[in-house]
Amino acid sequence: LMTDGMAGDYEEIYRVTQKVWDVAKTASRIEVSTRAGTDLVATFRKDWKWISADGRYWEQGRWGNLPEGETFTAPLSVDGVIVAEEIGDWFAGKYGLLPKPVLMRVKNSRLVSFETDDAQLRTDLEAYMGQHPDSNRVGEFAIGTNVGLTRIVGNFLQDEKFPGVHIAFGDPYGFETGADWQCPSHVDVLASHATVLVDGRKIMEDGRFLI
């Protein structure tokens, strides 16, 4: 983390994050795809806020996660498939980079099924997603903007900032986004090297920003 994420050009990360935030904050629909098989469509509410996490914590009282670089919100709806290369929360410490990604199917913002050959991972995911009525509901949609990153390292705090998309099942961070529901759990899943279209405008292709 110190030699990759923290050593990036944070002026450039700030610039890219702000440009992505400026495009995304008025989005109605975002489409995401990857060569690995991710194919998602997300829609958004105008009254729920996009948050710019750009690494600039210059004022007393401001805080955030470092390494930094993402913009996120709570989506209105998510449908499709995400092929998760890595899973956050305690899954990252236990499983690290998944040797075989987990294919997750989402309908009406709910995880309806997933595929993995790892029996223990299946058990753990089923237990996690079943702990609360909204634990399987998508509460976060985020675009990673740390353009200094060149690889996924197995630490989710950094890897979620890699240019790509991650979604989270569970709490929507309503205190920031304005979402009107809560959940005691929150677990992110990552699809890196994504192609992203915001209301038909391509802003990222295979993890490379076009803005």
Side-chain angles (χ1 to χ4, degrees):
L1 272 64
M2 294 304 294
T3 59
D4 286 359
M6 291 298 293
D9 180 349
Y10 270 83
E11 289 298 319
E12 179 65 7
I13 292 167
Y14 173 82
R15 185 192 69 82
V16 172
T17 305
Q18 288 297 305
K19 293 194 76 139
V20 175
W21 173 79
D22 194 52
V23 172
K25 68 181 181 180
T26 58
S28 296
R29 173 188 173 98
I30 296 182
E31 301 165 64
V32 182
S33 61
T34 67
R35 294 179 185 271
T38 293
D39 187 8
L40 284 178
V41 175
T43 63
F44 304 90
R45 284 178 51 158
K46 300 298 185 183
D47 57 334
W48 289 0
K49 296 179 181 178
W50 281 83
I51 308 301
S52 174
D54 53 41
R56 286 195 174 181
Y57 303 112
W58 293 357
E59 297 85 23
Q60 185 174 0
R62 289 200 65 201
W63 67 276
N65 293 321
L66 294 172
E68 194 58 285
E70 68 172 305
T71 184
F72 68 91
T73 191
L76 173 61
S77 68
V78 177
D79 291 276
V81 174
I82 185 166
V83 179
E85 304 160 63
E86 191 175 349
I87 304 174
D89 203 351
W90 54 263
F91 288 89
K94 183 173 182 178
Y95 294 97
L97 289 176
L98 300 175
K100 184 177 180 181
V102 177
L103 188 152
M104 297 179 161
R105 293 185 175 86
V106 181
K107 185 174 182 180
N108 295 327
S109 293
R110 299 282 181 171
L111 178 65
V112 294
S113 67
F114 63 89
E115 297 176 10
T116 176
D117 296 331
D118 187 324
Q120 185 59 57
L121 177 57
R122 171 175 292 280
T123 298
D124 287 344
L125 278 171
E126 287 175 345
Y128 195 101
M129 298 299 180
Q131 63 185 294
H132 183 271
D134 283 325
S135 289
N136 68 351
R137 180 180 178 181
V138 180
E140 179 189 0
F141 179 97
I143 300 171
T145 57
N146 190 320
V147 290
L149 299 176
T150 60
R151 61 195 176 112
I152 304 298
V153 298
N155 186 307
F156 201 89
L157 180 65
Q158 175 168 292
D159 292 342
E160 66 176 351
K161 313 307 192 316
F162 189 95
V165 166
H166 61 275
I167 64 173
F169 297 95
D171 194 69
Y173 297 148
F175 65 97
E176 292 188 281
T177 64
D180 57 3
W181 58 281
Q182 298 179 23
C183 180
S185 63
H186 180 98
V187 64
D188 301 86
V189 297
L190 173 67
S192 69
H193 297 87
T195 295
V196 179
L197 282 77
V198 179
D199 291 329
R201 176 187 178 185
K202 187 182 290 187
I203 66 165
M204 182 192 292
E205 185 169 14
D206 293 333
R208 180 176 62 89
F209 282 105
L210 306 177
I211 57 176

